[in-house]
Amino acid sequence: MVGLIRGVSEGLGPVGGAAAIYTLSGLLLVFTVGLPNLRQFSLRYFLAGCLLFVSYEICLALSLGYAATRQQAIEVGMVNYLWPSLTVLFAILFNGQKSTWVIIPGLLLSLFGISWVLGGEQGLDIDEIVSNVISSPLSYFLAFIGAFIWAAYCTVTAKYAKGKNGITFFVLLTGLSLWVKYFLSDQPPMLVSWPVIIKLVLCALSLGFAYAAWNIGILHGNVSLLAVGSYFTPILSSALASFLLNAPLSWSFWQGAGMVCMGSLLCWYATRRG
């Protein structure tokens, strides 16, 4: 999704591209997953789900679209992948998940890995980190806040959804919110081409089916076990994004990505031991 969202935003603009992606993805879900019966939702799940899901998706899409370069977009995507560790932390704090002290080094290792990625080719370089963030502060801020929002969404869904799946409604609401922003603000013109259209369709398919599967897993599966499958997402996502965007990544980037994965696995191990 990181590479595809960035590719679409380069042609249709950060806001217009994101609006098109979520609209097409929502329509796809209407014909596959179907529209949910909102009357069956608990008020807590409906309100929190709408607010958290829409907020996260806007943060994710715009953080990638507003990044100054393609390589920076991949780095921004890596910042977003703090969410697996944060999901485990939120499950401990708010859902009564048992844990051990290993959660602390796990979280610290994930944060250190993100810092290592942002440090560029030199690894942990404070001046380089500051320079990267200053060059595109909105992108990094949205990605960082988005990680907390998605962790909160997973926690709320597991606790209050009671088996109800609102993913189709949430995706459509995200698209609508982005179209409102697009028409009420000054946006660059959309440059439609066949490569952009192909990326748009692929992104909509990936996003729609991935979130549909993820919500089913949260509602009916073991959230801690489910999270394990996501812990290697940073490496897979970065590799695919690097290929799609033709943006080679440094060895220090992959070192940082590995740290994020290992930190997330330590967080999961802490809950297993707990």
Side-chain angles (χ1 to χ4, degrees), residues 36 59 78 97 101 117 120-121 126 144 148 231 233 245 272:
C59 285
M78 184 59 63
Q97 173 71 55
W101 62 269
V117 167
E121 296 184 0
I126 301 301
F144 185 72
F148 283 86
Y231 289 157
T233 305
L245 299 175
R272 293 286 292 176

Side-chain angles (χ1 to χ4, degrees), residues 62-80:
L62 297 188
S63 68
L64 299 174
Y66 286 137
T69 65
R70 289 181 167 186
Q71 183 171 347
Q72 193 175 79
I74 301 176
E75 292 179 0
V76 166
M78 184 59 63
V79 174
N80 172 71

Side-chain angles (χ1 to χ4, degrees), residues 94-106:
F94 304 114
N95 285 358
Q97 173 71 55
K98 301 298 183 181
S99 180
T100 67
W101 62 269
V102 179
I103 187 74
I104 297 175

Side-chain angles (χ1 to χ4, degrees), residues 10 38-39 80 88 106 121-122 162 262:
E10 288 179 349
L38 300 182
R39 294 180 179 178
N80 172 71
V88 175
E121 296 184 0
Q122 303 303 317
K162 298 179 180 178
M262 289 303 299

Side-chain angles (χ1 to χ4, degrees), residues 115-137:
S115 300
W116 196 270
V117 167
L118 298 183
E121 296 184 0
Q122 303 303 317
L124 188 60
D125 187 328
I126 301 301
D127 291 336
E128 187 67 22
I129 293 173
V130 172
S131 176
N132 276 339
V133 174
I134 290 178
S135 68
S136 190

Side-chain angles (χ1 to χ4, degrees), residues 44 94-95 154-162:
R44 285 181 176 179
F94 304 114
N95 285 358
C154 294
T155 305
V156 167
T157 299
K159 189 170 185 178
Y160 296 123
K162 298 179 180 178

Side-chain angles (χ1 to χ4, degrees), residues 153-177:
Y153 171 77
C154 294
T155 305
V156 167
T157 299
K159 189 170 185 178
Y160 296 123
K162 298 179 180 178
K164 306 301 179 184
N165 191 347
I167 191 66
T168 302
F169 177 76
F170 295 154
V171 171
L172 287 172
L173 184 60
T174 303
L176 177 62
S177 302

